[in-house]
Amino acid sequence: MKSLSEIETTAKRASKAAGFSWGEAEEIGKCIRQLEMFGLPGIKHLNSYFNDKKKNTYENLSSINQSNSSSSNPYCPIILGISFLDQLKIVENYEKIYFSNIAYPIIFLSFLSRSSEIIGKKINVKFEEKEIFLNLNVNIYSNFLNLEFPKNSKNLEINFIDNKDNFNEEEWKSLYRLSENTFVEETDSLKKGAAGAGLTDND
């Protein structure tokens, strides 16, 4: 079994050989490592993308808006992902972001997962009747069992999820009241035994 370090290094070098800059290749290596760590077919789809890239033209999207559409050539998932990371402070202000015609969306997903960690918000992604939940780059949940991702996504929707508790106030108060049973009432002996409370200077 290949190590994650080996996967990242090989993906980075292969990306450079495929025509990307070393900086872009480094970002690709990180993303493919992450996909494979989560059990998703990153190597498979990167290989396929590089093969298709030799004969197909992909569009680079450098400026991301709330709604983004490519009517001719599909968006390159790598340049799109890097642009998303670069513009994260702007795009996170959108409640939803829409893309149409993205090549190899699974590669783009890896950039979104890293974005989730950077901004500290969960991200919900919908495409081709699939729904994927990105949890701060810690894990990826989905509502489908097989790992057959499409080579092209006609419509992809991104939702930033505001952080909130998964419990109500009464549930919290109930648990907190129980935790109070472990509190120890402060006494004179505890005060004397506390750090820095001694009366003798031993220095």
Side-chain angles (χ1 to χ4, degrees):
M1 183 175 178
K2 302 294 186 292
S3 69
L4 292 175
S5 177
E6 187 177 3
I7 288 171
E8 180 177 349
T9 300
T10 301
K12 178 172 68 174
R13 295 177 64 182
S15 299
K16 174 59 178 174
F20 291 93
S21 69
W22 275 119
E24 293 167 341
E26 186 172 348
E27 295 297 328
I28 297 168
K30 292 176 183 176
C31 289
I32 298 304
R33 172 192 177 118
Q34 177 230 50
L35 288 175
E36 292 294 334
M37 180 177 67
F38 290 150
L40 298 173
I43 293 290
K44 174 183 176 180
H45 280 255
L46 187 64
N47 262 319
S48 183
Y49 172 71
F50 285 159
N51 288 329
D52 287 350
K53 187 173 177 288
K54 297 174 184 176
K55 52 190 176 183
N56 297 325
T57 301
Y58 296 103
E59 185 172 337
N60 294 336
L61 181 63
S62 56
S63 180
I64 298 175
N65 299 307
Q66 190 165 8
S67 182
N68 309 271
S69 177
S70 174
S71 57
S72 54
N73 300 315
Y75 288 126
C76 166
I78 293 168
I79 300 302
L80 180 59
I82 293 173
S83 295
F84 197 93
L85 285 173
D86 288 343
Q87 300 170 59
L88 197 50
K89 290 301 180 183
I90 297 174
V91 299
E92 71 168 310
N93 293 319
Y94 298 133
E95 183 178 349
K96 294 183 179 181
I97 304 176
Y98 301 92
F99 294 96
S100 67
N101 206 7
I102 300 178
Y104 292 89
I106 187 176
I107 298 176
F108 181 49
L109 278 179
S110 60
F111 288 93
L112 293 180
S113 183
R114 290 172 58 198
S115 299
S116 174
E117 178 184 25
I118 293 171
I119 63 175
K121 290 182 180 179
K122 301 177 180 67
I123 297 177
N124 183 264
V125 183
K126 298 177 182 178
F127 70 96
E128 316 304 320
E129 298 183 352
K130 294 178 173 62
E131 189 164 357
I132 299 170
F133 187 73
L134 308 175
N135 185 21
L136 309 180
N137 207 24
V138 175
N139 47 43
I140 298 177
Y141 297 107
S142 67
N143 66 341
F144 58 99
L145 297 178
N146 63 66
L147 300 179
E148 289 301 321
F149 283 81
K151 287 188 175 183
N152 184 278
S153 174
K154 294 180 180 179
N155 293 289
L156 186 145
E157 177 185 315
I158 296 172
N159 294 278
F160 294 103
I161 302 173
D162 290 332
N163 293 321
K164 61 181 181 179
D165 297 325
N166 293 319
F167 47 84
N168 60 41
E169 188 63 22
E170 185 53 41
E171 290 168 337
W172 172 252
K173 288 179 179 179
S174 176
L175 190 65
Y176 189 82
R177 284 194 297 268
L178 181 60
S179 75
E180 289 180 320
N181 292 332
T182 64
F183 293 175
V184 178
E185 185 177 352
E186 193 174 43
T187 62
D188 288 340
S189 60
L190 284 174
K191 290 179 182 179
K192 291 178 181 179
L199 301 178
T200 304
D201 189 349
N202 294 322
D203 292 338

